[in-house]
Amino acid sequence: MVQGKWFPMGSDISEAVFVREAVFGTGADELDAAAQQVVVYREGRPVGAARLWWADGAFRLGMLGVLPQERGKGYGDLLIRLLLFKALTHNAPVIALETPAETMPFFAKYGFLDGGAQENLHQMHILGENVQLSHCGGNCAQCTNRSEECVPKALR
């Protein structure tokens, strides 16, 4: 079974930090006190994590990572959708992130736009009103073209 779990500020975020250390080689930091964490589990084991916080007029996504041995299974897709959904539930006007050039295509497929590079990281953003959580962006309840692709890979 695959599931996502949110950890509000002040929670034990050791499982999120476990993923972060495995993916990025970095542990907890001062930003964790102001961020909500999300962890994706497969069969009860953490396989991916990310965080979401408010700063400078936008919700910010960071430390989105999936364990190397678990990549390509749709967990990154599930993480980004959880983050976007959470931001939208708080009426996010803008959702922003910083990412290296090699991961820009992943975020671009969700509608994030490149705002330029600063210190080897690209500033990307999307307006809340432009977020599409469905794969096709259409009305799934009335869709006549439903397929396996309509269900995120991690949930198949």
Side-chain angles (χ1 to χ4, degrees):
M1 179 171 70
V2 174
Q3 67 180 43
K5 182 178 178 184
W6 282 96
F7 294 86
M9 293 172 272
S11 298
D12 174 5
I13 60 166
S14 57
E15 291 177 324
V17 172
F18 163 78
V19 172
R20 190 183 307 168
E21 288 173 342
V23 174
F24 302 108
T26 184
D29 60 28
E30 66 281 348
L31 188 52
D32 288 323
Q36 296 183 54
Q37 313 284 329
V38 63
V39 177
V40 167
Y41 297 87
R42 186 189 63 151
E43 306 303 327
R45 294 179 306 110
V47 296
R51 65 184 175 188
L52 177 72
W53 70 99
W54 175 262
D56 303 322
F59 277 93
R60 304 210 172 259
L61 314 181
M63 294 293 175
L64 190 151
V66 174
L67 297 176
Q69 68 272 23
E70 300 293 345
R71 292 181 184 154
K73 299 176 183 175
Y75 302 125
D77 176 71
L78 181 55
L79 277 169
I80 191 74
R81 290 175 191 284
L82 287 166
L83 291 161
L84 291 170
F85 180 78
K86 178 68 91 171
L88 291 177
T89 64
H90 294 288
N91 297 315
V94 177
I95 304 157
L97 58 90
E98 294 180 336
T99 193
E102 61 268 15
T103 57
M104 287 177 62
F106 172 79
F107 295 106
K109 71 183 179 180
Y110 298 95
F112 282 87
L113 303 172
D114 184 10
Q118 292 179 357
E119 299 179 24
N120 299 325
L121 292 175
H122 285 261
Q123 312 296 312
M124 298 187 80
H125 67 278
I126 185 171
L127 297 177
E129 65 191 39
N130 293 336
V131 171
Q132 293 290 327
L133 291 174
S134 67
H135 280 274
C136 64
N139 182 346
C140 293
Q142 298 176 4
C143 182
T144 58
N145 297 313
R146 294 185 74 133
S147 71
E148 184 176 282
E149 290 302 310
C150 295
V151 179
K153 192 186 299 185
L155 299 177
R156 287 185 209 150

